[in-house]
Amino acid sequence: PGAPHMEEVDELLEWWNEQFETQHRSLAAFADGVQYMQLIDALLPDGGLLHALQMAPRSHQERVRNLQSVQQAIQHTGIGVELPDLDRLAAADEAEHFLVASA
């Protein structure tokens, strides 16, 4: 699939910001993996998985490590979503994040 339409991205971000009381203006904010882990924690409150992440990763490699932790949490919980290319996600590729966040 091609790049998502801006209306779809805006709708997704609006929903996300309402649910998590955030103010993200771009799916690039998801590159650190923290938002995905917040969603997993919201679905499974006993998970306490946020502690596994670097909360303010400064490098691409730290973001990839966070996303690897998210992938492990997804596999552990049995949620039927697979993160695609972690390097592209860590590089803030909005089309990749749209595919994951809208799954």
Side-chain angles (χ1 to χ4, degrees), residues 24 29 65 81 89:
H24 299 306
R65 278 194 296 272
V81 174
L89 289 172

Side-chain angles (χ1 to χ4, degrees), residues 35-52:
Q35 291 71 25
Y36 295 121
M37 199 67 89
Q38 282 180 313
L39 179 60
I40 294 169
D41 272 359
L43 295 172
L44 305 164
D46 295 335
L49 301 170
L50 277 171
H51 74 279

Side-chain angles (χ1 to χ4, degrees), residues 25-38:
R25 295 181 183 181
S26 164
L27 291 175
F30 289 48
D32 62 11
V34 173
Q35 291 71 25
Y36 295 121
M37 199 67 89
Q38 282 180 313

Side-chain angles (χ1 to χ4, degrees), residues 34-99:
V34 173
Q35 291 71 25
Y36 295 121
M37 199 67 89
Q38 282 180 313
L39 179 60
I40 294 169
D41 272 359
L43 295 172
L44 305 164
D46 295 335
L49 301 170
L50 277 171
H51 74 279
L53 300 185
Q54 171 75 34
M55 295 309 274
R58 295 181 183 198
S59 72
H60 179 82
Q61 210 43 40
E62 287 176 343
R63 289 189 298 276
V64 168
R65 278 194 296 272
N66 273 0
L67 290 164
Q68 288 170 336
S69 294
V70 170
Q71 183 66 58
Q72 290 171 350
I74 289 170
Q75 291 169 348
H76 177 72
T77 60
I79 297 170
V81 174
E82 186 171 328
L83 296 182
D85 187 330
L86 297 184
D87 279 322
R88 287 183 60 187
L89 289 172
D93 183 305
E94 289 210 347
E96 291 290 312
H97 285 286
F98 183 77
L99 291 174

